[in-house]
Amino acid sequence: MINKQLLSPESIVVIGGSNNVHKPGGAIVRNLLSGGYQGTLHIVNPKEDEVQGIKACHEVKDLPSVDLAILVVAARFCPDYVQTLAAEKDVRAFIIISAGFGEETHAGALLEQRILETCEQYHCALIGPNCIGLLTPWHHSVFTQPIPHLHAKGVDFISGSGATAVFILESAVTKGLPFNSVWSIGNGKQIGIESVLEYMDEHFDPTRDSLIKLLYIENISDPDKLLYHATSLIRKGCRIAAIKAGSSESGSRAASSHTGAIASSDAAVEALFRKAGIVRCYSREELTTVGCIFKCMESTGIGSEEWSTRNGGQGVGLHNFAIVTHAGGPGVMLTDALSKGGMSVPSLSGAVADELKGQLFPGSSVANPIDILATGTPEQLGIAIDYCENKFDDIDAIMVIYGTPGLVHLYEAYDVLHKKIEECRKPIFPILPSVNTAEAEVQEFLRRGHVNFSDEVTLATALTQITKTPAPAEQQIEIHGVDVPRIRRIIDSIEGDGYISPALVHDLLESAGIPTVAECVSNERQTVLDFATQCGYPVVAKVVGPVHKSDVGGVALNIRTPEHLALEFDRMMAIPDATAIMVQPMLRGTELFIGAKYEPRFGHVVLCGLGGIFVEVLKDVSSGLAPLTYEEAYSMIHSLRGYKIIKGTRGKAGINEKRYAEIIVRLSTLLRFATEIKEMDINPLLADEHNIIAVDARIRVEK
């Protein structure tokens, strides 16, 4: 419940405000005063008559009505303060800095619940507890440093951790990244990250609001809300990047299948971010670098509609880069990093390149990177940028690496860079590595409203994350070719929980339009032999019953004679828990894998990848949230490290990628209408350039 009293309070009271600016109560008062808060500020401190020049009240009863209360007192006192302030002083917004609540003990959780109940009763907004506060242009209600440069078109930053928020701000400030607001939600008892996004979405004004949102998430309590509002904001022209911490726990706690062993909570997060179009980041530096890239794109004047047209979503629509530098090594490292990320530093040659070279010192290179040499002048820097902007048509963006060994000042060079950033339509990414030696020049450059990427490889890595992030998925279910009524009849006919029979697996896949190999399942030897004769040798035999067939010797390949099949039948039927033998024709092709696992709150996470060693050892899989669109399926396939095998390599034809995407989509539709399925594998699917067929599958249901 975000309200006016929280965002733009006419009056604020700090409960526990003090003269000691080295403690949270004193630091909050200091930051409010130095931030230029224009409303009425009250302090409650039982021991002080005056706090930082403001007359203090000794008790809450001495206060007038107040809009916002900031509590910086021991946890045990907070519920009573909230009750009194809400009931008697008309407070309708609270920021509770104090720790010692549900994050620590059960008793603390009860205190937290009392606070929430009071806030709900009186329709109050609640930030925290256990947070660093809220920072907006209206009021600096945080106790921490640094206070970043605030600007209406700066970044909105929402964090689930106060300490991490501070460290992310440190990283951002050194890059010159401006902020519009900083939300530290702490325990998020009432207002969580999803609630803040919801408010920003529902009250969005593109002429007034920030178009960049950065998130640090420790817990996704409402995935559907996060998905809906993040998607909505991105479609309105915003860019969102996020770190999700604490996602490394293995899903093997229920690993009765390949999917169970691979699908962790992190796979669900990856799938959610992919569907929403959120750029996934893995470190503070990467998150703030992505934010700076977004700011660079904004500064070119490219509107949100054109942004989406050029890229299809969050990415920057950039592929070909020119690198302008006076230091060869960093240019080479940046070239390597961009190439590794799938971007290009195209060679520049011909008459135009020769013309540029004629305006630089002898020994300069224009092949790209454009190396103007250490002796190159600021004027030559400007000339090189102008050629990239106006004469090299296949260049999308310009990266400028410019530092100093301490022999000269860089004010003139950075003045040229400033002017070119202001003038050029192509985005310019400034890489100014001399943040110590040329600190004064860099700071002056940042004060002019620019950002700085001090490390070229970090920039390239962040660009890679952006460019591989797809546009938000359409909220639709592809049902063409899927027999939903039949799927429901099959699921409803199943009794009990556990892995279902091969016959039912076959029927479900057939209902979804997923082709399966012909097979026979029987505990009668002659029936199995007759089927093998009918379909033709060689065949494959697999035991039915044990879940992990290979582990118990329950798979025999390339059986070429009835005698061999009879021997394998007798051997496998003697395996403990064996109930029957499955026989299939021996097929060949590229092995693929599709799996799915139901994650509480997220729904079904669908995994795809190459089969065999790629899924079992290398775990080269990508994930998506059901239901999936064709665009999502293609994005999943293309993000695999082994995609070159799917595409075809070393003279071998690729697989039918369109058919693979179709099967992934159809499987996700099956899961959407059969939520009782909690885990499944199709491994392998055998694929060639013409078709794909499911060879083996397992499905576990919970009714």
Side-chain angles (χ1 to χ4, degrees):
M1 180 188 296
I2 297 173
N3 55 25
K4 179 179 181 295
Q5 291 90 337
L6 178 66
L7 296 176
S8 52
E10 297 295 332
S11 54
I12 297 175
V13 59
V14 180
I15 309 295
S18 74
N19 285 305
N20 188 346
V21 297
H22 300 293
K23 291 187 176 180
I28 280 209
V29 175
R30 176 201 63 200
N31 288 343
L32 283 165
L33 294 174
S34 62
Y37 174 61
Q38 297 297 306
T40 304
L41 182 59
H42 303 280
I43 310 293
V44 173
N45 186 312
K47 298 179 181 178
E48 300 282 352
D49 295 325
E50 185 177 285
V51 171
Q52 300 184 44
I54 300 173
K55 183 180 178 181
C57 299
H58 289 176
E59 298 182 40
V60 169
K61 68 178 183 178
D62 299 326
L63 288 171
S65 294
V66 185
D67 284 345
L68 167 66
I70 304 170
L71 275 59
V72 200
V73 294
R76 66 182 184 276
F77 300 125
C78 288
D80 290 338
Y81 272 124
V82 171
Q83 175 66 39
T84 302
L85 289 163
E88 301 177 15
K89 301 301 176 181
D90 300 319
V91 172
R92 291 298 176 262
F94 291 92
I95 298 173
I96 301 181
I97 305 298
S98 317
F101 290 92
E103 79 280 1
E104 291 189 6
T105 64
H106 176 67
L110 296 177
L111 296 175
E112 200 171 334
Q113 184 61 31
R114 281 181 56 197
I115 291 170
L116 177 63
E117 290 170 358
T118 301
C119 287
E120 297 296 314
Q121 179 184 354
Y122 291 96
H123 306 288
C124 303
L126 171 63
I127 295 287
N130 185 32
C131 68
I132 64 170
L134 174 63
L135 177 64
T136 73
W138 190 274
H139 61 106
H140 296 185
S141 297
V142 295
F143 68 88
T144 55
Q145 299 283 359
I147 303 294
H149 173 63
L150 296 179
H151 187 277
K153 287 296 184 177
V155 172
D156 287 321
F157 173 41
I158 314 166
S159 176
S161 164
T164 307
V166 171
F167 300 151
I168 289 172
L169 288 175
E170 290 275 7
S171 172
V173 165
T174 61
K175 296 179 177 67
L177 183 64
F179 285 78
N180 175 58
S181 67
V182 176
W183 297 71
S184 165
I185 57 102
N187 293 358
K189 189 63 178 178
Q190 182 200 72
I191 297 173
I193 289 175
E194 299 93 336
S195 303
V196 179
L197 284 178
E198 177 182 35
Y199 182 87
M200 291 177 175
D201 179 26
E202 293 179 348
H203 296 81
F204 182 71
D205 181 347
T207 65
R208 179 196 66 209
D209 294 342
S210 168
L211 298 178
I212 301 173
K213 320 293 181 187
L214 302 183
L215 315 176
Y216 175 79
I217 306 172
E218 292 189 337
N219 178 54
I220 300 176
S221 59
D222 193 336
D224 287 340
K225 181 184 281 191
L226 178 64
L227 173 63
Y228 179 84
H229 292 292
T231 298
S232 177
L233 282 165
I234 293 170
R235 289 197 173 123
K236 290 173 180 176
C238 292
R239 297 92 174 168
I240 302 178
I243 296 173
K244 171 61 179 77
S247 299
S248 58
E249 179 189 355
S250 171
S252 59
R253 58 192 180 278
S256 57
S257 67
H258 291 303
T259 303
I262 296 168
S264 66
S265 57
D266 190 61
V269 171
E270 188 76 26
L272 176 65
F273 283 13
R274 182 190 303 277
K275 186 176 281 288
I278 297 172
V279 178
R280 180 91 186 264
C281 299
Y282 295 90
S283 71
R284 302 190 303 272
E285 283 297 303
E286 191 171 43
L287 182 69
T288 56
T289 300
V290 167
C292 289
I293 293 170
F294 288 158
K295 286 305 295 181
C296 281
M297 292 302 301
E298 251 185 17
S299 68
T300 64
I302 296 176
S304 61
E305 183 176 346
E306 185 178 351
W307 176 294
S308 297
T309 301
R310 289 176 63 179
N311 177 71
Q314 281 268 56
V316 294
L318 308 177
H319 182 70
N320 294 327
F321 291 84
I323 300 171
V324 180
T325 181
H326 63 173
V332 173
M333 288 192 291
L334 180 53
T335 300
D336 290 344
L338 289 171
S339 299
K340 183 179 178 182
M343 290 162 279
S344 174
V345 182
S347 176
L348 302 175
S349 60
V352 175
D354 292 340
E355 183 182 306
L356 170 59
K357 190 169 184 178
Q359 300 190 56
L360 305 177
F361 288 140
S364 299
S365 171
V366 297
N368 202 14
I370 300 170
D371 187 351
I372 66 173
L373 304 180
T375 53
T377 66
E379 180 185 8
Q380 290 172 329
L381 172 64
I383 291 170
I385 293 173
D386 284 340
Y387 269 75
C388 295
E389 168 74 4
N390 300 311
K391 297 193 176 185
F392 294 128
D393 294 334
D394 59 344
I395 294 299
D396 300 319
I398 308 157
M399 294 183 166
V400 177
I401 307 174
Y402 208 98
T404 177
L407 300 177
V408 296
H409 292 299
L410 298 180
Y411 290 108
E412 188 178 352
Y414 289 176
D415 187 55
V416 168
L417 185 55
H418 160 72
K419 291 176 181 176
K420 295 306 176 185
I421 291 174
E422 295 287 304
E423 296 169 0
C424 292
R425 175 156 177 78
K426 293 177 182 177
I428 297 175
F429 298 92
I431 303 165
L432 315 180
S434 303
V435 293
N436 180 49
T437 305
E439 180 181 7
E441 295 99 311
V442 172
Q443 289 303 315
E444 174 63 24
F445 179 79
L446 298 182
R447 279 192 290 270
R448 301 175 87 167
H450 304 300
V451 296
N452 175 34
F453 306 92
S454 60
D455 182 81
E456 59 278 349
V457 175
T458 302
L459 167 59
T461 302
L463 267 170
T464 300
Q465 286 299 102
I466 295 172
T467 55
K468 76 178 186 181
T469 300
E474 295 295 328
Q475 300 299 313
Q476 64 189 49
I477 302 176
E478 301 282 353
I479 60 173
H480 177 70
V482 179
D483 189 342
V484 175
R486 185 185 178 198
I487 288 170
R488 284 311 316 167
R489 288 195 299 271
I490 295 168
I491 292 294
D492 291 340
S493 72
I494 297 171
E495 296 181 359
D497 298 341
Y499 282 94
I500 63 176
S501 69
L504 289 175
V505 171
H506 177 273
D507 290 346
L508 281 173
L509 296 182
E510 184 179 67
S511 301
I514 299 173
T516 57
V517 66
E519 63 185 31
C520 172
V521 179
S522 177
N523 58 5
E524 297 288 338
R525 182 193 301 119
Q526 193 57 48
T527 301
V528 166
L529 291 170
D530 290 344
F531 174 81
T533 300
Q534 180 183 352
C535 74
Y537 289 92
V539 297
V540 178
K542 304 175 185 178
V543 69
V544 177
V547 173
H548 298 291
K549 301 176 178 65
S550 297
D551 294 349
V552 295
V555 178
L557 306 176
N558 204 29
I559 299 172
R560 294 185 171 275
T561 65
E563 292 78 13
H564 186 184
L565 178 58
L567 289 172
E568 292 292 354
F569 180 93
D570 293 340
R571 181 184 68 80
M572 290 186 192
M573 285 300 295
I575 294 173
D577 300 322
T579 58
I581 304 300
M582 175 192 294
V583 177
Q584 301 169 328
M586 181 76 182
L587 303 178
R588 299 190 182 277
T590 299
E591 290 190 358
L592 303 176
F593 162 81
I594 302 178
K597 185 167 185 277
Y598 184 84
E599 281 286 331
R601 296 182 290 118
F602 287 84
H604 282 103
V605 179
V606 179
L607 305 176
C608 77
L610 291 162
I613 188 173
F614 291 94
V615 64
E616 294 179 2
V617 178
L618 302 181
K619 294 181 173 56
D620 179 19
V621 297
S622 59
S623 58
L625 275 185
L628 295 166
T629 64
Y630 282 95
E631 289 76 13
E632 288 179 277
Y634 281 118
S635 174
M636 291 167 64
I637 295 168
H638 294 167
S639 68
L640 293 167
R641 296 193 301 275
Y643 175 63
K644 288 184 178 179
I645 297 174
I646 290 175
K647 195 175 180 180
T649 185
R650 302 189 73 172
K652 183 178 180 181
I655 71 161
N656 188 331
E657 188 176 324
K658 180 180 178 181
R659 186 65 174 135
Y660 191 24
E662 182 181 289
I663 291 173
I664 293 170
V665 170
R666 290 188 174 193
L667 176 68
S668 78
T669 303
L670 162 66
L671 296 167
R672 174 63 180 80
F673 291 101
T675 55
E676 294 89 345
I677 295 175
K678 301 305 179 187
E679 203 169 315
M680 73 175 298
D681 288 331
I682 307 179
N683 187 27
L685 295 98
L686 289 179
D688 58 27
E689 63 268 34
H690 304 296
N691 208 352
I692 300 176
I693 191 165
V695 175
D696 196 6
R698 289 175 292 180
I699 296 177
R700 183 175 66 83
V701 302
E702 291 180 11
K703 298 298 294 274

